[in-house]
Amino acid sequence: MSSTVKIYSNQTIWDKISHINWGLFVLILMISGIGFAALYSAAGGSFSPWAARQMMRFVALLGGMFVIALIDVRWWYKLAWPIYFIGFAMLVVVEIMGHIGMGAQRWIDLGIIQLQPSELMKIAVVMVLARYFHAATLEDMRRIPFLIVPALIIIAPVGLVLLQPDLGTSLMIVMAGVSMFFMAGASIWLFVAGGVLAASSIPVAWYLMHDYQKQRVMTFLNPESDPLGAGYHIIQSKIALGSGGLSGKGFLEGTQSRLNFLPEKQTDFIFTLWAEEWGFLGGCFLLFLFGVVFMYGPWIAMKARHNFSRYLAMGLIVNFSLYVFINISMVMGLIPVVGAPLPLVSYGGTAMMSALIGFGLMMSVHVHRDSKVTRV
Amino acid sequence: MVSALQMSVLAVLGGRLAWLQLVNGRRYKMLSDKNRINVKMISPSRGGIFDRNGIALAVNTQNFRVLLVPEQAKDIAGVLTSLQRVIVLNDAQIERVIKRAKRVAKFIPIEVKDKLSWEEVSKIEVNLPDLPGLSIGVGDVRSYPYGGATAHVVGYVGQPSEADLGEDPLFTLPGFRLGKTGFEKRYDRQMRGSAGTKQVEVNVIGREVRELNSQPGAEGKSAALSIDIELQKFVQEKIATQKSATAVVMDAHTGAVYAMASHPGFDPNLFTHGMPADVWEGLLANPGHPLTNKAIAGQYPPASTFKMMTALAGLRAGKINRNRTVYCPGHYEYGTDRFHCWKSSGHGAVNLEEALSQSCDTYFYELSTEIGIEAIAKTARDFGLGRTLDFELREERPGLVPDKAWKMGRFAERWQPGETIVASIGQGYLQTTPLQLAVMTARLVNGGYAVKPWITGYVGDQNLTQGKWPKMSVSAKHLALIKSGMDMVVNSKTGTAKGSKIEDPAYAFGGKTGTAQVRRITKAERAAGDRNEDLPWKQRHHGLFVGYAPYNNPRYVCAVVVEHGGGGSASAAPLAKDILLETQKRAPAKNAIQGIVDGKVAQRTNKQQTKI
């Protein structure tokens, strides 16, 4: 593991700025803009309490994104492990003395912002795995012992996150991590075996699950069974979406959201609010924007010159898309309510921060696509 | 490969969105409307009840109450303490409000105190700026201005019972009352009105956000009764001189009931304003059955008031005429049984008129053995006894006119001749209500028309008055003979009610006394000459009187029953005298019932009233 990287750059700061993916930036602006509009509507046509704060956060975090983008990708290569360990330590701290909220311990209160270490961990896992697989050969990837370390890299934080307990985030870390195995060339049979293992572990998982998690799965399977209880969220969300129709009820006219039938409309169910007011056309437009963002992942990876950058870009975009998929599937009643925000759109600092950090790293990969990361 | 996966997931999401919004959009749109649109009921106000002269007997009075909206009152306890300085409010009431405020949505008003006096209302109004969250609200409360005088006829309203629920959506409204007894019950549906609806958009906690659509309901219809409230009050006060009594005053020709009273009664306002527990228990325990309208639900042996039926049956059968006499030695022997006349020394030879006026039992004993129970029963039924009279008030009971078939059905036993003898003087199985006795009397003196009693003049603008009755197949000569005997009851020197005679010939009346045994008088008692007045109250005779006035051209009939009041001539006849005199003076028959127009008493009849 002891490796050093020589950081050498011949790019000036202006070169770097000119190489930032401005197209991606515009997309981020558009998606966030939709978020601001939705939050404005969620508050009944008011900037307070959500839209204004979200905009201020966005501007601040956007600065952070650019800073991250301008830092040489080789630094990120070097910092992968430290970031991972810091994140891991924070997870331990949360586990020991974390705040109690929503029946789960997830936050560290940093004063200005409530930091959710599990969010940071998602990125850290991607970074560390990208680094680990950076020098791996195809033969390495076929050797099971070689894969034990990266498996541990995933399992260790996932275990802690599960303890919180946060099933949604755990699954997302696992999925993002596993997809990196796949991209680095691990055998397809490994996934088949893993899938079988996962399936067989369902009874065990069921036994270990908290009551509220079991409840969520049960009501997902049949939301109408408990229309005023846990199934309420899903039913109301589907009603809101469905009643939007083709062109929606109109901006600020979403009755389900405005009259508070829709729970958590400013966070997890923001997509519902958007699609209720703007209909199928508005919903598809947002999905389209996300789709274009997803295309940036492979595009940036393709242009990168070395594996770390490639894996990092792909891992980050997979991570981001998982967020989007899980949230939207959830509000449409395709998967259980797991409590995942829609990145860039939902109200909340942590989710926006991790999304913008992710894009910052992707941009860094792009800006420094010609730098060489070599093991010395 | 990863991108392909991402794109296909996106496609799935888009497809799902299309499924929800395009394919099922209409269904979800409906569900969304169901969510947000709440239909609220607007409660109609209950129609009023008026007497024949347009005087209100049942009205809706405004009930002022002070309400608290928790979200407007920052400090509930503080506001209520301030209110305590303005009106009388005990700590328990305050505690109740605070407790309730914790349970209900913050925008729903909580009643702090109701039935505020005018003074309290104005005090609160003046101090409202210092009492945030408080407001004065107005609700309807049923009020009966004449209280106990109309308790049985008008009835009262109360909360719908569990069984009633579901009949009308109105019943679910808090504070809704429906007619429980008397007229309030009979025409409840019409007086209740129908609920208006208001569609409001509500948010998830049910707060009204805006009104979308409203549909006015129908106000309840007002009603006018045939009752003359002044007469009603008079009658009620008269019979209240007795421990337990009831009286009916009716029009002999139209059947309009002018007064119907039952004592002891109760204050119907207690049912709408709140009944103290001890008062309620007192009502239940009272042996005079204050909650029962004894004029229609009290069933008594008609006793000697039934003798007209036996007499008429005899006349119809051709067994007697004006001149036939029966010798009364004070008793009547039938087989081995001896039936006593009330006058143990006997009446001597009496003809029909004398037998009626002196109430000789022996005359009717003998007559009955000649005509049999079937003939008597038929005449009794012809004259309105033995079954209900389709009277509007649902509490009406049918009474009982026995015959052979009835006894076989009821006891599986043959009818005994002695039972006919007992029935001939209105005892035994016979049961009649005072209203039936009034109807019987009316049919005897109105020229033989099958009049039926009614009380409803108008409901809304619908005229429900009655007045045309079919002629009965009965000889005018027979009726005249019977009436002559009844005239003598009061106006002859030997009549049983001679003490109640009205001297002014313009107001003179006729009638018949009756004394109903509630238990058999034993031989030993008869031998010892025990006096009825010495018995415990419950064992004393009922005193009855049926009367009509003016005696030469009867317009009004009345029936009076004094429960356990002793002899009819001593207890009931004096009451009937006063009642018939007052009735003739007030002459309610001269005034048509004032109609109802637009829920108000019609104007035109006010002029009529002043004319007379």
Side-chain angles (χ1 to χ4, degrees), chain B residues 369-381:
Chain B
T369 59
E370 293 168 21
I371 56 176
I373 187 65
E374 299 298 324
I376 296 172
K378 181 186 180 306
T379 299
R381 292 198 186 104

Side-chain angles (χ1 to χ4, degrees), chain A residues 121-133:
Chain A
M121 214 52 210
K122 281 184 216 164
I123 291 171
V125 166
V126 170
M127 288 174 80
V128 168
L129 286 176
R131 179 177 170 152
Y132 187 85
F133 292 134

Side-chain angles (χ1 to χ4, degrees), chain A residues 232 236 238-239 241-243 245 249 255-256 259-261 275 279-280 291 294-295 298 318 321 325 329 332, chain B residues 1-3 6-7 9-10 13-14 16-18 20-22 25 28-29 31-32 35-36 201-204 209:
Chain A
Y232 182 82
Q236 293 298 345
K238 279 160 78 176
I239 291 175
L241 280 169
S243 62
K249 293 178 181 168
T255 55
Q256 285 282 104
L259 301 173
N260 274 330
F261 287 103
F280 180 68
F294 299 160
M295 300 302 287
V318 165
S321 63
F325 295 152
S329 311
M332 288 184 185
Chain B
M1 176 113 182
V2 169
S3 301
Q6 285 175 336
M7 289 312 125
V9 173
L10 271 184
L13 293 181
R16 174 69 174 177
L17 199 57
L20 288 173
Q21 297 196 299
L22 303 183
Y28 284 117
K29 174 91 191 142
L31 286 172
S32 152
N35 249 348
R36 77 188 168 96
E201 188 175 89
V202 296
N203 67 8
V204 68
V209 180

Side-chain angles (χ1 to χ4, degrees), chain B residues 4 88 133 146 265 299 301 333 387 480:
Chain B
V88 179
Y146 288 89
Q299 302 184 113
E333 305 280 353
R387 63 182 73 121

Side-chain angles (χ1 to χ4, degrees), chain B residues 481-503:
Chain B
L481 186 56
I482 300 231
K483 181 173 171 296
S484 167
M486 293 171 78
D487 287 346
M488 284 163 64
V489 167
V490 184
N491 299 300
S492 85
K493 290 271 183 288
T494 51
T496 52
K498 60 180 186 289
S500 297
K501 182 181 177 185
I502 295 175
E503 296 300 338

Side-chain angles (χ1 to χ4, degrees), chain A residues 56-76:
Chain A
M56 289 190 303
R57 264 187 211 141
F58 178 70
V59 171
L61 291 168
L62 214 51
M65 179 185 83
F66 285 125
V67 169
I68 290 168
L70 296 178
I71 290 172
D72 198 299
V73 74
R74 284 168 292 190
W75 277 107
W76 296 122

Side-chain angles (χ1 to χ4, degrees), chain B residues 240-418:
Chain B
T241 58
Q242 305 292 322
K243 188 166 177 182
S244 176
T246 171
V248 181
V249 179
M250 198 182 92
D251 192 295
H253 297 279
T254 65
V257 171
Y258 295 126
M260 175 179 277
S262 185
H263 174 82
F266 57 92
D267 183 356
N269 291 308
L270 290 176
F271 282 92
T272 54
H273 290 78
M275 168 99 60
D278 56 326
V279 174
W280 175 242
E281 271 152 31
L283 287 176
L284 291 181
N286 191 318
H289 301 292
L291 295 173
T292 305
N293 183 358
K294 291 193 281 273
I296 53 174
Q299 302 184 113
Y300 308 94
S304 296
T305 61
F306 190 73
K307 284 174 180 164
M308 285 84 83
M309 295 296 100
T310 309
L312 192 58
L315 289 168
R316 282 169 139 185
K319 297 285 183 192
I320 51 169
N321 56 33
R322 179 167 200 161
N323 301 319
R324 178 179 166 183
T325 58
V326 166
Y327 181 77
C328 168
H331 56 84
Y332 178 72
E333 305 280 353
Y334 186 85
T336 55
D337 289 329
R338 172 172 283 199
F339 294 88
H340 293 272
C341 182
W342 66 270
K343 194 173 176 185
S344 49
S345 58
H347 289 95
V350 288
N351 65 13
L352 175 57
E353 286 160 292
E354 286 161 345
L356 281 171
S357 67
Q358 295 168 33
S359 206
C360 173
D361 294 335
T362 308
Y363 184 95
F364 298 96
Y365 291 153
E366 183 165 323
L367 175 57
S368 70
T369 59
E370 293 168 21
I371 56 176
I373 187 65
E374 299 298 324
I376 296 172
K378 181 186 180 306
T379 299
R381 292 198 186 104
D382 284 350
F383 279 75
L385 307 183
R387 63 182 73 121
T388 54
L389 296 158
D390 308 322
F391 191 56
E392 292 100 321
L393 305 187
R394 293 281 157 82
E395 293 85 0
E396 187 194 8
R397 302 279 296 272
L400 176 65
V401 172
D403 59 16
K404 290 174 180 171
W406 170 81
K407 190 171 182 208
M408 193 50 83
R410 176 75 174 76
F411 297 109
E413 274 174 27
R414 288 171 57 97
W415 183 265
Q416 301 297 320

